[in-house]
Amino acid sequence: MCKTIAYMRISTREERGKQKFTRQEQAIARWSKENNIEIPERRIYRDDASGKSFDREAWKELESDVNAGDTIVFKDICRFTREYENGYMKYMELLNKGINLVFIGTEYIKNMIGVAERQQNRIAKKSLQDTIELLILVELDRAEQEREITVKRIKDGIAASTKKSGRKQGQLDKMSP
């Protein structure tokens, strides 16, 4: 029996207090409701690790749980990975195993894959396949570029700030009664 699995990722353990899975949970819940699909809690995988590689604990568990015909749902492609070359290879590996990948908001790629598979003309089919590869690489690269811009803006903001970071000299932590 085919199953639907959800995958969520926040950047790093250090940021767990700052980042939460809330937006991803809400997006996947909306998608589930719109598609009348229930995803049981045991089929929801959460990682707090960088998207730079697939060496993530929950991802490894997910890969051992997923089979041909199953569907993996992500809020967006950057939750899958930020690394476009290995990301594309992993994307194609999963597709070739018969695993359906849903990136909420990028269903157009899945639709194009279907069109390419049905195409009889070899030149048109190859052109569509190349276009699909390019679109996937662009989506993955865009996610990495956005992250780099965000990191740069944060560093620039800290450098330009007149505030001193850290605790004032001699100031104690707040204590509860």
Side-chain angles (χ1 to χ4, degrees):
M1 184 172 158
C2 298
K3 57 191 173 286
T4 302
I5 296 168
Y7 180 77
M8 299 176 219
R9 184 185 61 76
I10 55 176
S11 294
T12 62
R13 287 190 171 114
E14 292 80 36
E15 295 181 7
R16 184 174 236 169
K18 298 176 188 173
Q19 289 189 343
K20 295 182 174 42
F21 293 102
T22 310
R23 289 185 320 135
Q24 294 175 68
E25 290 167 341
Q26 290 171 348
I28 291 171
R30 263 190 317 275
W31 180 89
S32 296
K33 186 176 181 180
E34 290 167 4
N35 291 279
N36 200 26
I37 296 172
E38 186 176 334
I39 304 174
E41 184 61 34
R42 72 178 184 282
R43 297 281 186 239
I44 299 174
Y45 293 86
R46 293 174 178 87
D47 261 322
D48 50 0
S50 170
K52 204 65 172 151
S53 79
F54 288 97
D55 187 21
R56 303 177 230 143
E57 189 175 323
W59 179 259
K60 290 176 185 178
E61 289 176 32
L62 179 149
E63 279 197 287
S64 68
D65 184 30
V66 72
N67 299 302
D70 291 349
T71 299
I72 307 172
V73 181
F74 305 82
K75 179 187 176 291
D76 54 45
I77 202 162
C78 68
R79 300 298 92 199
F80 172 58
T81 185
R82 290 186 295 100
E83 211 278 309
Y84 70 93
E85 288 178 23
N86 289 328
Y88 176 74
M89 289 189 298
K90 180 64 74 176
Y91 185 100
M92 295 311 294
E93 174 189 322
L94 293 167
L95 282 181
N96 291 332
K97 288 181 179 178
I99 297 164
N100 183 32
L101 302 175
V102 173
F103 301 103
I104 299 170
T106 58
E107 287 83 5
Y108 68 92
I109 293 174
K110 179 182 167 191
N111 294 337
M112 285 184 72
I113 290 170
V115 170
E117 288 172 352
R118 292 187 302 274
Q119 188 58 247
Q120 298 298 314
N121 182 303
R122 287 179 26 199
I123 295 171
K125 184 174 193 160
K126 177 67 174 145
S127 295
L128 279 169
Q129 289 169 336
D130 289 346
T131 301
I132 291 163
E133 179 179 355
L134 180 62
L135 287 171
I136 293 167
L137 291 172
V138 165
E139 287 287 338
L140 290 168
D141 188 55
R142 180 186 56 80
E144 178 62 12
Q145 296 300 320
E146 285 177 4
R147 183 184 176 283
E148 287 175 6
I149 289 168
T150 300
V151 167
K152 183 181 181 325
R153 286 179 180 157
I154 290 169
K155 286 180 180 178
D156 289 349
I158 290 170
S161 176
T162 58
K163 294 182 180 180
K164 300 275 188 214
S165 63
R167 184 182 310 138
K168 292 180 183 173
Q169 191 75 22
Q171 184 179 9
L172 298 175
D173 289 337
K174 292 182 179 178
M175 298 177 72
S176 63

